[in-house]
Amino acid sequence: MTVVETETPAATRVWRPKQVLVTRSAAERPHGREIVARAEAAGVPRIELLPGDRLPSLRGATERETYANAKSTLAVVVAPPSKLRLQPIPPSADWRFDLAEGCPAHCQYCYLAGSLGGPPVTRAYANLDEVLAGLDAEVGRGSVTTGSAARDHEGTTFEASCYTDPLGIERLTGSLSAAVRHFGTHDWAGPTQLRFTTKYDDVAPLLDLPHGGRTRVRLSVNAAPVSRRFEGGTASVPNRLAALRRLALAGYPVGLTIAPIMPVDDWRTHYGELLAAAADAVRDVPGLDLTTELITHRFTPRSKEVLLGWYPHTQLEMDEDARRQKRGKFGAAKHVYPAPVMAELRGWFERELAAVLPQARVLYWT
Ligand code: SF4
C-alpha cells in the first residue's frame, strides 16, 4: 500500500533566473519551446530568442559581475554530438548523461569549478529526445555497477547530476520529470536505473510520476556548519531531508550523498546530528530502499583557482600543505585529506551509520 503524506514542508527553494536566452536551434525544438513556455509562466523578466546559436558574452566589468550575470541566466541550447557521448562515471554509475550543464546554486566548493569552460551559466539542453534516445545503446554495458558483486542488481546505471543539479532547474525545464518518466515506462533491453543527486527540495513535480522504481534520488546533505557557510542558494538541509521522506513515501529508491565531508571543528557532533536527523526523516517509511554515498572534500589546482575567483573571501580550507596529493586516472593532481584523517573519518562514519541508520547500504567511500 502506498502511504500518501499530505503535509508540505516549509517553502521550497525555486530558482527564477533574471534572463533566459534561447538559441535559434533550441527554439526550433519542441522541448526548447516548452522551456520558453515554462519561463513565461514563471514570470522570468527577460526571455530572448537569439538570432543564431551563439550565446552573447556574459562578461561584466569584474570577475564577480561575470559570475553574477552567468549565475542568473538560463541558456537553452542544443547539446552538440560530443555532449551526447556517454562517459563512465566511477564510483557512482556506469554512465553519465547530461540534461543540462551548470547550476544556479553558489556552493563555495562547487564540483563544477574547473570543469566548465567560461562563465558558469546554466545551459539546459533542448534536444532532450536525442539525449534520452542515446541511452539504449549502453544498456547491459558498463563497468561500475554492472558486473560488480555488490551493485549489479541496480542494472545499468545512468547518472544525471554530474554537471548540473537537475532538480534545481526542474520548474523551468521539465527535463528531469521527462527523464524519470522515460526510465519508468520505456521498454528497456535490460534492467536500468536513473540516478541523480540534489541540494534542492522542490520534489512536488516528481511525486506522481510513473517512476517504476527505476530512479534513485539522492539528497546531498552535510553537517550544519558546512551547509550554512558554504552552500548558498540551496534548500536547507532540514528541507532536503523532508524532501527525501516525501520521495521515499512516493515509492522512490532514495539515498543520501554525504558530501563533501570536512573535518570541521567538532565534526563528530555535527555529522552525528545530521545522521540522527536523516534517521528521523526515514522513520516508518514502508519498503524503504536507502543508500549512502560518502565523499570527502578535495580540490585541484584548477578548481582552487576558479573558486577563489568566484568566492575571493571564502573561508573554505584549500591548503595544499594540509593535504595529500593523489593522482587521478589522467595524471591530474587532487588534494585530498592525509591518510590518518581519512581513516578516522571513514571509521567514524562506518560505525555511526551502522548504529544510527542500519537500513542504509553504503555504496562507496571516497
Ligand atoms: Fe556546484 Fe552542486 Fe552546489 Fe550546484 S549544487 S553549485 S553543482 S556543488
Side-chain angles (χ1 to χ4, degrees):
M1 191 184 80
T2 309
V3 178
V4 178
E5 196 158 88
T6 48
E7 90 236 29
T8 309
T12 49
R13 171 74 74 162
V14 177
W15 180 52
R16 200 177 71 148
K18 289 205 180 106
Q19 61 173 355
V20 172
L21 305 175
V22 190
T23 64
R24 191 172 68 182
S25 299
E28 288 166 359
R29 308 286 181 127
H31 189 59
R33 290 196 292 273
E34 191 192 320
I35 297 176
V36 171
R38 282 170 172 264
E40 284 167 354
V44 174
R46 181 161 181 267
I47 300 173
E48 188 179 342
L49 302 183
L50 301 168
D53 284 349
R54 279 183 76 87
L55 296 179
S57 169
L58 294 169
R59 296 236 168 251
T62 62
E63 185 100 7
R64 277 302 299 168
E65 211 177 293
T66 303
Y67 172 88
N69 291 344
K71 281 280 183 175
S72 54
T73 299
L74 175 69
V76 189
V77 304
V78 170
S82 62
K83 300 268 180 193
L84 298 180
R85 268 195 297 277
L86 304 193
Q87 306 284 341
I89 184 72
S92 173
D94 287 322
W95 304 105
R96 171 196 127 204
F97 78 108
D98 300 315
L99 302 169
E101 184 182 272
C103 168
H106 306 276
C107 300
Q108 294 177 27
Y109 53 75
C110 181
Y111 308 111
L112 302 183
S115 35
L116 298 178
V121 59
T122 302
R123 293 174 170 81
Y125 296 147
N127 46 340
L128 178 66
D129 46 353
E130 286 168 12
V131 171
L132 296 178
L135 306 179
D136 284 291
E138 307 301 344
V139 175
R141 290 158 39 86
S143 58
V144 178
T145 60
T146 296
S148 133
R151 294 185 60 191
D152 192 61
H153 65 277
E154 294 176 41
T156 311
T157 44
F158 295 91
E159 170 68 64
S161 48
C162 292
Y163 272 69
T164 188
D165 186 315
L167 187 62
I169 56 175
E170 176 60 6
R171 288 278 176 180
L172 289 164
T173 66
S175 306
L176 182 60
S177 297
V180 170
R181 196 178 294 113
H182 182 70
F183 272 79
T185 58
H186 183 63
D187 187 12
W188 298 97
T192 57
Q193 186 190 81
L194 167 63
R195 292 165 53 72
F196 71 89
T197 190
T198 182
K199 290 193 187 84
Y200 285 84
D201 63 339
D202 184 21
V203 292
L206 307 185
L207 296 179
D208 294 326
L209 295 176
H211 59 77
R214 293 193 189 137
T215 294
R216 182 176 299 278
V217 189
R218 298 107 78 210
L219 274 291
S220 173
V221 292
N222 217 316
V226 178
S227 180
R228 287 204 201 108
R229 204 173 305 152
F230 300 127
E231 296 181 343
T234 61
S236 71
V237 170
N239 271 28
R240 290 179 223 167
L241 291 175
L244 178 84
R245 178 171 181 82
R246 297 176 81 200
L247 290 161
L249 288 171
Y252 279 88
V254 291
L256 293 167
T257 310
I258 305 180
I261 294 170
M262 298 181 195
V264 291
D265 285 349
D266 212 6
W267 61 267
R268 290 175 195 77
T269 305
H270 295 300
Y271 282 107
E273 286 169 0
L274 174 70
L275 297 188
D280 272 349
V282 294
R283 203 174 301 291
D284 305 329
V285 173
L288 177 70
D289 177 349
L290 175 71
T291 57
T292 54
E293 290 153 71
L294 303 165
I295 304 168
T296 52
H297 180 250
R298 67 255 347 260
F299 63 92
T300 64
R302 174 78 188 133
S303 71
K304 177 175 174 176
E305 184 193 338
V306 171
L307 289 170
L308 289 178
W310 291 349
Y311 311 107
H313 305 298
T314 187
Q315 301 293 308
L316 182 68
E317 179 271 297
M318 289 189 284
D319 175 4
E320 292 82 355
D321 294 339
R323 301 294 186 117
R324 176 171 66 91
Q325 210 181 87
K326 196 172 156 187
R327 294 260 160 213
K329 206 165 36 165
F330 304 106
K334 278 186 222 170
H335 298 284
V336 301
Y337 294 118
V341 177
M342 284 290 229
E344 201 182 340
L345 287 167
R346 185 175 189 165
W348 184 89
F349 271 96
E350 285 174 354
R351 280 191 306 279
E352 289 300 308
L353 279 168
V356 180
L357 266 176
Q359 325 87 304
R361 277 182 298 118
V362 179
L363 297 188
Y364 56 85
W365 165 276
T366 185

